[in-house]
């Protein structure tokens, strides 16, 4: 069994670590938050004082951080993984970041004989707790095979999508579709409510047809209850759509609908809802139409 380093113990990283500990892996953990580290140490992990220390004590290093700049800092910055890592080790970055950044970071690590997978996840905190995440992996087949058992502890669906960066391409595709689905649901339910039809019954009537989706089933009940605590924060979705728009524009792909939803998310953030769940997209439409989509 590999000894695993885990850096980034937030909403997602913490339960993912706990599942690895339960499965019998030895963990060395690091986070800027002392409280998060203490919680994991109490659950059986040992503490590394820096990413360098974590890397020097482990063969597989997992990162679960907010975005590309944090992953770059932890891997290549002062006291970073690159200063302590041994040749032959493997870095699995499970954060959702810009795919072009994954490739750049992988190339720098490769010069030190260190391999890298990008393995972002979908499913949110409940699935991180249950160990039932969907994991989208980029990297060479051999490294995927080496890490498969570790990833299967954290997720039920573990799919290699292609070479390094491909995992984050799949994740951005996922985030585009989720954002557009929630916006479409919001537009439709605000319309139905203002016409005077019960939105709960509209949801029940259409969920089994072509408009039905996991996004609809996850978000419509929360919208009908008026529950907008995260979940997946609006500010994180802004980060993902910014990465999608930036990488699409570099290769000459216009994303007109994504750009539209991005502006809705920006407006909600200005309105103080950056830390609300992305289901709060409905609040933008509600304000425009002066109606609230709620269970009667
Ligand atoms: P979070 O903000 O809860 O956790 C991030 C952790 O990283 C924090 O504990 C923070 O202290 C730590 N951190 C930040 N910079 C650091 C540094 N330089 N060194 C060490 N630690 C550092 O975020 P999260 O919700 O756990 O999300 C993590 C990633 O997973 C993001 O890329 C997010 O987009 C993705 N994701 C989140 C969800 C979700 O529902 N929350 C779902 C799927 C994917």
């Amino acid at each position: 069994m590999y000894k695993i380093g885990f850096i980034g113990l937030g909403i997602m990283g913490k339960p993912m670590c706990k599942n690895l500990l339960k499965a019998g892996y030895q963990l060395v953990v690091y986070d800027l938050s002392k409280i998060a580290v203490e919680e994991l140490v109490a659950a059986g992990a040992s503490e590394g004082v820096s990413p360098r220390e974590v890397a020097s004590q482990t063969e597989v290093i997992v990162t679960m951080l907010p975005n590309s700049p944090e992953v770059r800092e932890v891997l290549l910055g002062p006291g970073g993984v690159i200063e302590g890592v041994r040749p032959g080790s493997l870095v699995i970055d499970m954060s959702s970041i810009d795919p072009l950044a994954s490739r750049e970071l992988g190339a720098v690590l490769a010069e030190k004989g260190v391999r890298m997978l990008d393995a972002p996840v979908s499913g949110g905190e409940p699935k991180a707790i249950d160990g039932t995440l969907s994991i989208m992996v980029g990297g060479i087949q051999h490294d995927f095979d080496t890490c498969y058992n570790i990833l299967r502890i954290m997720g039920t669906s573990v799919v290699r999508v292609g070479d390094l960066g491909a995992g984050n391409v799949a994740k951005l595709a996922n985030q585009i579709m989720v954002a557009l689905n929630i916006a479409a649901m919001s537009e439709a339910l605000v319309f139905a409510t203002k016409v005077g039809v019960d939105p709960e019954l509209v949801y029940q009537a259409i969920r089994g047809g072509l408009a039905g989706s996991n996004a609809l089933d996850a978000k419509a009940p929360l919208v009908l209850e008026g529950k907008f605590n995260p979940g997946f924060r609006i500010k994180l979705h802004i980060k993902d759509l910014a990465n999608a728009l930036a990488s699409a524009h570099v290769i000459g792909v216009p994303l007109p609908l994504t750009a539209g939803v991005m502006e809705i998310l920006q407006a909600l953030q200005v309105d103080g809802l950056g830390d609300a769940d992305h289901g709060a997209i409905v609040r933008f439409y509600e304000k425009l139409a002066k109606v609230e989509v709620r269970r009667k």
Side-chain angles (χ1 to χ4, degrees):
M1 252 186 177
Y2 292 105
K3 195 169 176 187
I4 300 175
F6 206 115
I7 303 172
L9 311 172
I11 292 180
M12 299 297 283
K14 212 184 287 175
M16 291 159 75
C17 278
K18 287 183 179 168
N19 285 328
L20 289 169
L21 286 169
K22 263 188 238 148
Y25 284 97
Q26 273 184 281
L27 287 195
V28 183
V29 299
Y30 176 77
D31 194 289
L32 295 176
S33 156
K34 284 280 158 219
I35 296 170
V37 171
E38 279 163 16
E39 188 177 330
L40 263 302
V41 168
S46 55
E47 178 181 357
V49 294
S50 65
R52 175 182 49 215
E53 291 299 312
V54 170
S56 68
Q57 294 173 44
T58 55
E59 296 118 344
V60 172
I61 302 120
V62 180
T63 47
M64 191 53 165
L65 296 157
N67 197 9
S68 321
E70 291 84 5
V71 177
R72 192 182 303 274
E73 169 77 16
V74 160
L75 294 182
L76 308 183
V81 166
I82 197 150
E83 292 179 6
V85 71
R86 287 168 288 182
S89 299
L90 236 154
V91 169
I92 312 176
D93 178 35
M94 302 191 73
S95 331
S96 306
I97 72 168
D98 182 342
L100 302 177
S102 303
R103 287 184 196 157
E104 282 169 31
L105 296 169
V108 178
L109 291 173
E111 287 169 15
K112 272 222 138 188
V114 176
R115 291 118 67 204
M116 178 168 169
L117 297 172
D118 64 319
V121 309
S122 171
E125 188 184 21
K127 292 195 174 215
I129 292 169
D130 294 349
T132 57
L133 292 164
S134 295
I135 308 181
M136 300 147 257
V137 189
I140 63 169
Q141 185 70 46
H142 177 266
D143 295 341
F144 175 80
D145 295 341
T146 304
C147 295
Y148 183 79
N149 288 341
I150 294 173
L151 294 173
R152 273 290 279 113
I153 303 293
M154 297 178 274
T156 35
S157 161
V158 180
V159 177
R160 179 177 172 265
V161 193
D163 291 334
L164 184 62
N168 272 305
V169 170
K171 173 67 184 178
L172 291 181
N174 180 83
Q175 292 306 81
I176 290 170
M177 293 183 66
V178 169
L180 297 190
N181 263 288
I182 297 173
M185 170 197 79
S186 301
E187 216 163 287
L189 293 183
V190 162
F191 162 70
T193 305
K194 186 124 191 198
V195 179
V197 179
D198 183 346
E200 162 93 56
L201 296 178
V202 172
Y203 162 56
Q204 293 300 341
I206 67 177
R207 61 183 291 266
L210 194 53
S213 69
N214 287 339
L216 181 71
D217 282 335
K219 298 300 165 188
L222 298 177
V223 165
L224 290 162
E225 291 285 327
K227 285 191 181 155
F228 299 113
N229 53 317
F232 189 72
R233 293 176 209 281
I234 283 189
K235 67 183 182 198
L236 280 180
H237 219 138
I238 287 176
K239 178 261 301 183
D240 289 335
L241 296 193
N243 284 336
L245 290 163
S247 35
H249 293 163
V250 167
I251 52 166
V253 178
L255 299 177
L257 296 178
T258 303
V261 178
M262 174 63 136
E263 294 309 307
I264 294 174
L265 293 172
Q266 296 286 348
L268 290 164
Q269 179 156 258
V270 171
D271 233 0
L273 291 174
D275 283 311
D277 187 69
H278 52 175
I281 286 174
V282 76
R283 299 278 297 273
F284 175 84
Y285 286 95
E286 288 174 345
K287 217 169 172 179
L288 290 184
K290 301 205 167 14
V291 71
E292 280 200 343
V293 177
R294 298 289 175 272
R295 186 164 278 133
K296 285 190 175 155

